[in-house]
Amino acid sequence: MNAAALILAAGAGTRMKSSKPKVAHEIMGKPLVRWVVDAAHGAGLSKLVAVVGHGREQVEPLLKDVSVVVQEEQLGTAHAVNVAREALLGECDSLVVLTGDSPLVTSETIAKLVSLREERAAGVVVLTMQAEDPTGYGRIVRDAEGQVAAIVEQKDCTPEQALITECNSGFYCFDTKLLFDALTEVSTDNAQGEYYLTDVLAIARAKGREVLGLLAADKDECLGVNSRRQLAQATKSLQRRINGKHMDAGVTFWDPDTCWIGPDVEIAPDVEILPQTIIVGSSKIGSGTVVGPCSRLTDTVVGADCVIDETVAIEAIIDDEVECGPRAYLRPQTHMCKGSKAGTHVEIKKSTIGEGSKVPHLSYIGDCTMGSGVNIGAGSITCNYDGVKKWPTVIEDDVFVGSDTMMVAPVKLGRHCLVAAGSVVTKDASPESLILARARQVEKEGWNEGK
Ligand code: UD1
Ligand code: CA
């Protein structure tokens, strides 16, 4: 299909009351404008252009995969489209215009707008919605035959027009040539003194072109984010959409309303997600694994048949049959090998925990390479930081570290050695040895008698 898309993302978003441009605000870790760009990519269009302006130094880095044009002054949506004239006129027959603050738009709807316009050779197809509360949206004014005659913005409505509940979603597909012709006729003669893109529809009608209103099957898809309240509403709606897809694909949720799964997360069938769980970024979860309750995984890959209970993990790799938590904290570059364990109140950073090795209680393991079959006693710590530099600890296969051991790095514990509880290990230990590095017990008999 010879269609391109233009995404409007230059506005300030004053109603957000934020120092950050509106389209850079995030839903589940993904900026609003990225949701729109990804939907446009999914519709298979030939070209994508975005208009940036307000706070562009924060918006442009989010748009590396699209062409960007700059609207220096934000004089309205028609003005924004007009700055893309050179980039688009003559480049495509159909032009889809999307607002960068409408994260629920889908690829299917974008493709539908294009195919309907092409089939009917219409001047414009606009996606409309039946709003329960139309406040803030442009109203769709239909003529006696039920055809779309115009869009009237909220602030320009007569009292009768304000009662109309069919609203403009802000998604359109235009005949590109007609659009850029019509833009030369748009004026600022309205309540906000802005160039309204919505005026193009009445101009198209005046030029004798057909203007079609396609009613959205799901009105949530048209939700525009202008305020923090609408941001929360859009987040809720996307949460339901995403969790619904996972349930259809075989994932169990005890209570999907309390779980937040990012748009790019992959979850295998037969995963069980317990309440109050957040999984975001590029995380992946393997089949048979139980995550939660109260877990938060960011950019973390989890294998099959794991139990990830009350765990926070960031950029960690967790192989099959691993047990984490309750209350484990896995920081970047942690690799939990098959069958290993990070138990209660355990923090692990930049370390490999070998196959079947266990760190069950109250430990800190940092910058450590641990072999297989290791057991770390409760309260043991790798002292990896001397105040200036981080140092490594190596723990070879089958080492047994007694409780409350301090391993002062750099240090190496040789294969199958045994470290007595309460030791402060400052020197390397040979394989198969017993290490005792604690003060001897002193006993003063009867010392407390009669006191
Ligand atoms: C717009 C529509 C309204 C529709 C609603 C749907 C107009 C005049 N009104 O209203 O009919 O119901 O969207 O959500 O089009 N922008 C620019 N440059 C500008 C002005 C805006 O790039 O000069 C961008 C904004 O960043 C935003 C989008 O255009 O992403 C829409 O602007 P906004 O001010 O939010 O328009 P609404 O009042 O919501
Ligand atoms: Ca808006």
mmCIF file of all heavy atoms in Angstrom, residues 294-320:
data_model
loop_
_atom_site.group_PDB
_atom_site.id
_atom_site.type_symbol
_atom_site.label_atom_id
_atom_site.label_comp_id
_atom_site.label_asym_id
_atom_site.label_seq_id
_atom_site.Cartn_x
_atom_site.Cartn_y
_atom_site.Cartn_z
ATOM 1 N N CYS A 294 4.072 -10.088 44.392
ATOM 2 C CA CYS A 294 4.916 -8.945 44.716
ATOM 3 C C CYS A 294 6.310 -9.032 44.104
ATOM 4 O O CYS A 294 7.302 -8.764 44.783
ATOM 5 C CB CYS A 294 5.047 -8.757 46.224
ATOM 6 S SG CYS A 294 3.476 -8.646 47.041
ATOM 7 N N SER A 295 6.418 -9.443 42.853
ATOM 8 C CA SER A 295 7.722 -9.461 42.208
ATOM 9 C C SER A 295 7.795 -8.347 41.172
ATOM 10 O O SER A 295 6.780 -7.932 40.630
ATOM 11 C CB SER A 295 7.970 -10.803 41.530
ATOM 12 O OG SER A 295 8.189 -11.793 42.507
ATOM 13 N N ARG A 296 9.024 -7.857 40.952
ATOM 14 C CA ARG A 296 9.230 -6.824 39.925
ATOM 15 C C ARG A 296 10.443 -7.213 39.094
ATOM 16 O O ARG A 296 11.554 -7.250 39.595
ATOM 17 C CB ARG A 296 9.456 -5.460 40.598
ATOM 18 C CG ARG A 296 9.859 -4.365 39.633
ATOM 19 C CD ARG A 296 9.576 -2.993 40.232
ATOM 20 N NE ARG A 296 10.283 -2.757 41.478
ATOM 21 C CZ ARG A 296 11.526 -2.246 41.565
ATOM 22 N NH1 ARG A 296 12.192 -1.928 40.489
ATOM 23 N NH2 ARG A 296 12.089 -2.044 42.744
ATOM 24 N N LEU A 297 10.203 -7.541 37.826
ATOM 25 C CA LEU A 297 11.277 -7.984 36.945
ATOM 26 C C LEU A 297 11.437 -6.986 35.812
ATOM 27 O O LEU A 297 10.479 -6.666 35.121
ATOM 28 C CB LEU A 297 10.953 -9.367 36.355
ATOM 29 C CG LEU A 297 10.524 -10.467 37.342
ATOM 30 C CD1 LEU A 297 10.298 -11.785 36.599
ATOM 31 C CD2 LEU A 297 11.572 -10.670 38.427
ATOM 32 N N THR A 298 12.655 -6.483 35.626
ATOM 33 C CA THR A 298 12.946 -5.542 34.546
ATOM 34 C C THR A 298 14.046 -6.136 33.681
ATOM 35 O O THR A 298 15.101 -6.508 34.206
ATOM 36 C CB THR A 298 13.425 -4.197 35.148
ATOM 37 O OG1 THR A 298 12.428 -3.741 36.061
ATOM 38 C CG2 THR A 298 13.621 -3.145 34.068
ATOM 39 N N ASP A 299 13.829 -6.213 32.386
ATOM 40 C CA ASP A 299 14.838 -6.730 31.437
ATOM 41 C C ASP A 299 15.483 -8.011 31.961
ATOM 42 O O ASP A 299 16.705 -8.178 31.896
ATOM 43 C CB ASP A 299 15.938 -5.678 31.185
ATOM 44 C CG ASP A 299 15.372 -4.404 30.573
ATOM 45 O OD1 ASP A 299 14.440 -4.503 29.768
ATOM 46 O OD2 ASP A 299 15.864 -3.307 30.918
ATOM 47 N N THR A 300 14.673 -8.909 32.475
ATOM 48 C CA THR A 300 15.180 -10.136 33.090
ATOM 49 C C THR A 300 14.642 -11.356 32.348
ATOM 50 O O THR A 300 13.459 -11.401 32.027
ATOM 51 C CB THR A 300 14.774 -10.152 34.580
ATOM 52 O OG1 THR A 300 15.555 -9.160 35.260
ATOM 53 C CG2 THR A 300 15.002 -11.502 35.237
ATOM 54 N N VAL A 301 15.524 -12.306 32.086
ATOM 55 C CA VAL A 301 15.108 -13.507 31.362
ATOM 56 C C VAL A 301 15.036 -14.665 32.352
ATOM 57 O O VAL A 301 16.023 -14.975 33.021
ATOM 58 C CB VAL A 301 16.101 -13.825 30.229
ATOM 59 C CG1 VAL A 301 15.704 -15.110 29.509
ATOM 60 C CG2 VAL A 301 16.160 -12.656 29.245
ATOM 61 N N VAL A 302 13.869 -15.272 32.453
ATOM 62 C CA VAL A 302 13.651 -16.359 33.406
ATOM 63 C C VAL A 302 13.342 -17.633 32.615
ATOM 64 O O VAL A 302 12.526 -17.616 31.693
ATOM 65 C CB VAL A 302 12.467 -16.036 34.344
ATOM 66 C CG1 VAL A 302 12.298 -17.124 35.395
ATOM 67 C CG2 VAL A 302 12.650 -14.670 35.004
ATOM 68 N N GLY A 303 13.955 -18.742 33.000
ATOM 69 C CA GLY A 303 13.731 -20.017 32.318
ATOM 70 C C GLY A 303 12.438 -20.688 32.755
ATOM 71 O O GLY A 303 11.538 -20.061 33.315
ATOM 72 N N ALA A 304 12.378 -22.002 32.516
ATOM 73 C CA ALA A 304 11.174 -22.773 32.811
ATOM 74 C C ALA A 304 11.196 -23.283 34.248
ATOM 75 O O ALA A 304 12.261 -23.476 34.843
ATOM 76 C CB ALA A 304 11.080 -23.951 31.853
ATOM 77 N N ASP A 305 10.014 -23.504 34.792
ATOM 78 C CA ASP A 305 9.820 -24.159 36.095
ATOM 79 C C ASP A 305 10.568 -23.489 37.239
ATOM 80 O O ASP A 305 11.151 -24.158 38.098
ATOM 81 C CB ASP A 305 10.225 -25.650 35.995
ATOM 82 C CG ASP A 305 9.396 -26.372 34.937
ATOM 83 O OD1 ASP A 305 8.176 -26.142 34.899
ATOM 84 O OD2 ASP A 305 9.979 -27.125 34.143
ATOM 85 N N CYS A 306 10.591 -22.185 37.259
ATOM 86 C CA CYS A 306 11.203 -21.446 38.366
ATOM 87 C C CYS A 306 10.116 -20.963 39.315
ATOM 88 O O CYS A 306 8.948 -20.885 38.956
ATOM 89 C CB CYS A 306 11.935 -20.206 37.842
ATOM 90 S SG CYS A 306 13.309 -20.587 36.759
ATOM 91 N N VAL A 307 10.539 -20.602 40.530
ATOM 92 C CA VAL A 307 9.640 -19.929 41.470
ATOM 93 C C VAL A 307 10.290 -18.588 41.804
ATOM 94 O O VAL A 307 11.391 -18.550 42.361
ATOM 95 C CB VAL A 307 9.440 -20.769 42.750
ATOM 96 C CG1 VAL A 307 8.574 -20.008 43.747
ATOM 97 C CG2 VAL A 307 8.801 -22.105 42.405
ATOM 98 N N ILE A 308 9.632 -17.502 41.428
ATOM 99 C CA ILE A 308 10.197 -16.165 41.614
ATOM 100 C C ILE A 308 9.256 -15.417 42.554
ATOM 101 O O ILE A 308 8.354 -14.700 42.141
ATOM 102 C CB ILE A 308 10.322 -15.422 40.259
ATOM 103 C CG1 ILE A 308 10.961 -16.309 39.183
ATOM 104 C CG2 ILE A 308 11.073 -14.109 40.429
ATOM 105 C CD1 ILE A 308 12.420 -16.667 39.425
ATOM 106 N N ASP A 309 9.473 -15.611 43.844
ATOM 107 C CA ASP A 309 8.554 -15.148 44.880
ATOM 108 C C ASP A 309 9.082 -13.843 45.485
ATOM 109 O O ASP A 309 10.249 -13.800 45.899
ATOM 110 C CB ASP A 309 8.495 -16.270 45.939
ATOM 111 C CG ASP A 309 7.542 -15.969 47.069
ATOM 112 O OD1 ASP A 309 6.846 -14.946 47.021
ATOM 113 O OD2 ASP A 309 7.513 -16.793 48.014
ATOM 114 N N GLU A 310 8.253 -12.806 45.520
ATOM 115 C CA GLU A 310 8.651 -11.510 46.121
ATOM 116 C C GLU A 310 10.098 -11.154 45.775
ATOM 117 O O GLU A 310 10.938 -10.972 46.670
ATOM 118 C CB GLU A 310 8.531 -11.575 47.648
ATOM 119 C CG GLU A 310 7.217 -11.041 48.147
ATOM 120 C CD GLU A 310 7.233 -10.846 49.652
ATOM 121 O OE1 GLU A 310 7.763 -9.813 50.103
ATOM 122 O OE2 GLU A 310 6.734 -11.728 50.366
ATOM 123 N N THR A 311 10.379 -11.055 44.512
ATOM 124 C CA THR A 311 11.752 -10.827 44.051
ATOM 125 C C THR A 311 11.812 -9.575 43.194
ATOM 126 O O THR A 311 10.898 -9.319 42.413
ATOM 127 C CB THR A 311 12.222 -12.053 43.235
ATOM 128 O OG1 THR A 311 12.338 -13.165 44.121
ATOM 129 C CG2 THR A 311 13.544 -11.808 42.539
ATOM 130 N N VAL A 312 12.873 -8.806 43.353
ATOM 131 C CA VAL A 312 13.148 -7.704 42.440
ATOM 132 C C VAL A 312 14.364 -8.112 41.625
ATOM 133 O O VAL A 312 15.398 -8.471 42.195
ATOM 134 C CB VAL A 312 13.433 -6.398 43.207
ATOM 135 C CG1 VAL A 312 13.880 -5.298 42.247
ATOM 136 C CG2 VAL A 312 12.189 -5.952 43.974
ATOM 137 N N ALA A 313 14.253 -8.105 40.299
ATOM 138 C CA ALA A 313 15.387 -8.487 39.452
ATOM 139 C C ALA A 313 15.519 -7.484 38.320
ATOM 140 O O ALA A 313 14.531 -7.118 37.682
ATOM 141 C CB ALA A 313 15.196 -9.893 38.896
ATOM 142 N N ILE A 314 16.736 -7.034 38.106
ATOM 143 C CA ILE A 314 17.014 -6.067 37.044
ATOM 144 C C ILE A 314 18.140 -6.617 36.182
ATOM 145 O O ILE A 314 19.219 -6.920 36.705
ATOM 146 C CB ILE A 314 17.403 -4.699 37.647
ATOM 147 C CG1 ILE A 314 16.261 -4.174 38.521
ATOM 148 C CG2 ILE A 314 17.732 -3.692 36.553
ATOM 149 C CD1 ILE A 314 16.666 -3.072 39.469
ATOM 150 N N GLU A 315 17.890 -6.749 34.894
ATOM 151 C CA GLU A 315 18.904 -7.244 33.942
ATOM 152 C C GLU A 315 19.589 -8.502 34.461
ATOM 153 O O GLU A 315 20.812 -8.603 34.434
ATOM 154 C CB GLU A 315 19.940 -6.155 33.649
ATOM 155 C CG GLU A 315 19.371 -4.982 32.883
ATOM 156 C CD GLU A 315 20.318 -3.800 32.848
ATOM 157 O OE1 GLU A 315 21.528 -4.007 32.713
ATOM 158 O OE2 GLU A 315 19.827 -2.663 32.978
ATOM 159 N N ALA A 316 18.802 -9.426 34.945
ATOM 160 C CA ALA A 316 19.359 -10.692 35.440
ATOM 161 C C ALA A 316 18.998 -11.810 34.471
ATOM 162 O O ALA A 316 18.046 -11.691 33.702
ATOM 163 C CB ALA A 316 18.792 -10.988 36.820
ATOM 164 N N ILE A 317 19.788 -12.902 34.531
ATOM 165 C CA ILE A 317 19.469 -14.094 33.738
ATOM 166 C C ILE A 317 19.243 -15.230 34.722
ATOM 167 O O ILE A 317 20.107 -15.509 35.575
ATOM 168 C CB ILE A 317 20.613 -14.442 32.771
ATOM 169 C CG1 ILE A 317 20.787 -13.295 31.770
ATOM 170 C CG2 ILE A 317 20.325 -15.749 32.032
ATOM 171 C CD1 ILE A 317 22.009 -13.459 30.893
ATOM 172 N N ILE A 318 18.083 -15.832 34.606
ATOM 173 C CA ILE A 318 17.711 -16.891 35.543
ATOM 174 C C ILE A 318 17.410 -18.132 34.713
ATOM 175 O O ILE A 318 16.493 -18.133 33.892
ATOM 176 C CB ILE A 318 16.465 -16.445 36.362
ATOM 177 C CG1 ILE A 318 16.798 -15.173 37.169
ATOM 178 C CG2 ILE A 318 15.982 -17.566 37.261
ATOM 179 C CD1 ILE A 318 15.609 -14.529 37.869
ATOM 180 N N ASP A 319 18.203 -19.181 34.899
ATOM 181 C CA ASP A 319 17.998 -20.407 34.111
ATOM 182 C C ASP A 319 16.845 -21.237 34.687
ATOM 183 O O ASP A 319 16.197 -20.821 35.646
ATOM 184 C CB ASP A 319 19.304 -21.215 34.072
ATOM 185 C CG ASP A 319 20.411 -20.479 33.300
ATOM 186 O OD1 ASP A 319 20.097 -19.496 32.591
ATOM 187 O OD2 ASP A 319 21.580 -20.889 33.418
ATOM 188 N N ASP A 320 16.648 -22.438 34.131
ATOM 189 C CA ASP A 320 15.518 -23.288 34.535
ATOM 190 C C ASP A 320 15.615 -23.715 36.007
ATOM 191 O O ASP A 320 16.711 -23.844 36.559
ATOM 192 C CB ASP A 320 15.483 -24.566 33.681
ATOM 193 C CG ASP A 320 15.234 -24.255 32.202
ATOM 194 O OD1 ASP A 320 14.856 -23.108 31.877
ATOM 195 O OD2 ASP A 320 15.432 -25.174 31.387
#
